[in-house]
Amino acid sequence: MSTDTPSPGPAREAAPRRRNRPEKKVEITDPKAIRALAHAARLEVISELYSTQSSRTATELAQQTGLTPSAMSYHLRALQKWGIVVPAEASADARERRWKAAGTDFAINSGGAVAGPDFAVIDLELDAFRRRARSYARARDEQRQHVESAEPASAVLLAHNLLYLTAEQRSELTQRVFDLLRHYELEDPNCIPPGAERIATMWSMIPDDRTPPGASGSHGGT
């Protein structure tokens, strides 16, 4: 522990206004709906629309996922069927339907079913994380090769902790993490602060049944 008194640093600019709007959680519990989500493009759409809280056209989402606009329209209609996305208000000169998230937050709850369809969704989410990591690594290497004085690389963080939590503590920790993440969400997703970089985050909690020798009691890991 250090007892040194830190010297006052430079004055900080006022933090951007963060999200302050009524919350509407969309929770999927129907196994059929969960199976319908087990598609990389659909999860990408959910992530984009719920994270940005902005509307997108099928063409815009198709460019992001590498699909054709017609294929993306099919996936959007499937997500609409389960109440995950809804048509958005069109601008005056809009020639294509816009889509938006049906709520502010999205969750999958299979009721703890063993080997439920949500495990397929988890696999796809992990694959998406790997794609982001590989894409970032390629972009960083290209920058180093073509720019002599490249800016410092952005931080990439992947951490793991083993905790022992009661059911009440698991619920409390989850809520606190979500509250913290919401603090950093922009109030207006279309007004991005100067210098801000788009960052993908992932939060997980899964029971760890690998009980060490001599240990007793239940335990969970994050």
Side-chain angles (χ1 to χ4, degrees):
M1 180 188 300
S2 173
T3 57
D4 295 338
T5 302
S7 58
R12 295 183 179 179
E13 296 182 358
R17 296 182 65 184
R18 299 299 172 180
R19 189 171 77 175
N20 181 21
R21 60 171 180 266
E23 303 294 331
K24 180 184 177 182
K25 184 176 182 180
V26 176
E27 186 174 58
I28 300 300
T29 58
D30 190 322
K32 293 182 179 179
I34 298 175
R35 292 191 191 94
L37 298 181
H39 189 288
R42 294 181 184 182
L43 289 177
E44 186 74 19
V45 167
I46 292 172
S47 176
E48 178 68 21
L49 296 183
Y50 277 82
S51 296
T52 65
Q53 288 293 299
S54 297
S55 66
R56 298 283 189 271
T57 66
T59 298
E60 291 170 340
L61 293 170
Q63 292 174 346
Q64 183 172 335
T65 57
L67 298 179
T68 64
S70 60
M72 178 52 64
S73 294
Y74 168 80
H75 290 302
L76 286 165
R77 289 193 298 270
L79 294 176
Q80 181 187 21
K81 173 185 176 182
W82 296 107
I84 299 170
V85 304
V86 295
E89 299 77 9
S91 57
D93 58 349
R95 299 181 180 179
E96 186 177 359
R97 170 180 287 183
R98 303 190 70 84
W99 297 86
K100 66 179 182 179
T104 55
D105 296 283
F106 179 79
I108 297 174
N109 184 358
S110 64
V114 177
D118 52 327
F119 277 80
V121 175
I122 291 174
D123 285 337
L124 290 170
E125 289 283 13
L126 293 175
D127 287 341
F129 177 85
R130 296 186 187 98
R131 288 196 301 273
R132 290 190 183 103
R134 287 194 293 265
S135 177
Y136 173 74
R138 286 194 300 268
R140 183 183 59 186
D141 291 342
E142 291 176 0
Q143 184 184 41
R144 288 175 174 173
Q145 293 175 6
H146 296 92
V147 181
E148 293 182 0
S149 57
E151 297 180 357
S154 300
V156 177
L157 175 64
L158 178 62
H160 174 269
N161 298 290
L162 182 63
L163 306 174
Y164 290 81
L165 305 173
T166 64
E168 291 76 11
Q169 288 174 322
R170 291 197 297 268
S171 179
E172 177 189 3
L173 176 58
T174 300
Q175 188 61 50
R176 292 181 67 179
V177 169
F178 286 163
D179 289 343
L180 179 61
L181 292 174
R182 289 190 184 97
H183 172 73
Y184 288 94
E185 293 178 354
L186 296 176
E187 183 178 37
D188 184 352
N190 296 313
C191 294
I192 302 174
E197 184 177 6
R198 178 166 162 148
I199 300 292
T201 64
M202 179 179 292
W203 157 251
S204 70
M205 181 183 293
I206 185 170
D208 184 350
D209 60 1
R210 301 169 299 169
T211 305
S216 61
S218 60
H219 61 282
T222 64

